[in-house]
Amino acid sequence: MGAGSRETGLTVSQQERIEHAISRARQDSGLDLSVLVGDLDVTDLSAFRQAAETVHESLGERARSAVLVVVAPGQRRVEVVTGPAARRRVPDRVAALSVLSMTTAFAGGDLAGGIVDGIRQLATAAGAAPAIEAPPRADAALVVAHH
Amino acid sequence: MSRVVPRVVTTGLAGLVTVLLTAGPVLAEENPIGPAEGSDPAAELGAGKALLLYVGAPLALLLVVAALAWLPQVLRAPRYRPAEGWGAPPVWFAGPVDPDAAVAAAAERGLGDVVRGGASGSW
């Protein structure tokens, strides 16, 4: 896809590090987290976000509650895409922080380390419990009665 | 963990070299204390042997040390350099079983009116 000169991609140990980080993040947070490392097929980089959202959409049933991280080393772009349900646990502010720490590592040449750190940040911010349920109606009525 | 192993190897090699350098002459020569009285060590040692001992040996040692320092760099995987681009095919960790088909299908049915969140960055 990218017109890069480098053919080797990630080493086996780097892939293992990333796989380990993902499975750990998924276990700890219960988030449906996945990471795509590779350039996307776009002619113009302004369409990158849309292409990343298409990749997220391709998760099908999972998409609603999925968090997708797209890292394009050749295009030097990173996207975090959250489904409507996942967004409640991973707000855009949290995604932006994770993106910031990833781009810092990537610019320094640390691809696997940046991905591992970014994933960890997302999982930590999402917390251990699944999304908090809305309070029961009775409590809400009680609050109103006090006023 | 990954840093402990090279350190142990380096320390072990340094220790071995030290022991060999110290013990070598003692073990090799018949008279470890020094040349016998009345003998002329300089005369016994030919020009070729002297050159080998005082020039060749240090050079060989230097080459061994240089090789030990250079080897880990060569064996380590090449680092990602943002300016060099990326030719490797995409890898989707924890993605669908058939990513190509899934993405093609998603491109066909479009994004719909789902509001997605997230963040973007470039470097």
Side-chain angles (χ1 to χ4, degrees):
Chain A
M1 288 190 180
S5 56
R6 194 189 146 114
E7 293 293 333
T8 46
L10 295 165
T11 64
V12 175
S13 73
Q14 283 176 327
Q15 293 192 18
E16 279 171 358
R17 270 181 73 196
I18 295 170
E19 271 165 17
H20 181 74
I22 291 175
S23 68
R24 177 142 188 202
R26 289 171 70 101
Q27 259 175 18
D28 289 353
S29 67
L31 276 177
D32 186 359
L33 211 125
S34 66
V35 179
L36 176 72
V37 183
D39 290 355
L40 294 185
D41 201 2
V42 288
T43 44
D44 187 5
L45 273 183
S46 62
F48 194 87
R49 171 75 195 180
Q50 202 188 347
E53 287 194 9
T54 306
V55 175
H56 183 265
E57 170 64 27
S58 79
L59 285 164
E61 294 282 306
R62 290 167 61 184
R64 238 188 86 73
S65 54
V67 178
L68 170 72
V69 181
V70 179
V71 179
Q75 291 158 330
R76 293 198 234 170
R77 288 289 296 263
V78 57
E79 288 283 345
V80 175
V81 186
T82 52
R87 197 179 186 181
R88 272 184 273 148
R89 298 192 57 203
V90 181
D92 295 355
R93 183 176 42 84
V94 168
L97 268 175
S98 162
V99 162
L100 187 67
S101 75
M102 281 193 273
T103 52
T104 309
F106 298 158
D110 189 6
L111 209 55
I115 293 170
V116 169
D117 282 348
I119 294 167
R120 196 180 296 144
Q121 276 193 17
L122 290 173
T124 309
I132 299 163
E133 297 283 333
R137 281 240 169 250
D139 286 358
L142 200 67
V143 173
V144 172
H146 278 292
H147 282 278
Chain B
M1 182 63 205
S2 58
R3 286 187 182 176
V4 172
V5 174
R7 241 174 236 180
V8 167
V9 171
T10 311
T11 313
L13 277 175
L16 193 71
V17 168
T18 312
V19 167
L20 283 178
L21 282 178
T22 323
V26 178
L27 296 173
E29 285 175 30
E30 288 169 358
N31 183 0
I33 295 159
E37 244 177 87
S39 72
D40 187 0
E44 287 167 21
L45 199 67
K49 269 192 173 175
L51 212 67
L52 210 64
L53 184 65
Y54 294 112
V55 179
L59 260 178
L61 198 68
L62 197 81
L63 282 177
V64 168
V65 172
L68 282 177
W70 176 69
L71 214 62
Q73 281 179 28
V74 177
L75 294 179
R76 199 181 299 138
R79 206 171 162 77
Y80 161 66
R81 292 180 205 284
E84 281 179 17
W86 187 261
V91 190
W92 195 347
F93 298 94
V97 183
D98 188 356
D100 289 330
V103 172
E108 205 144 292
R109 69 174 175 264
L111 289 172
D113 53 359
V114 182
V115 179
R116 294 176 175 82
S120 313
S122 59
W123 66 94

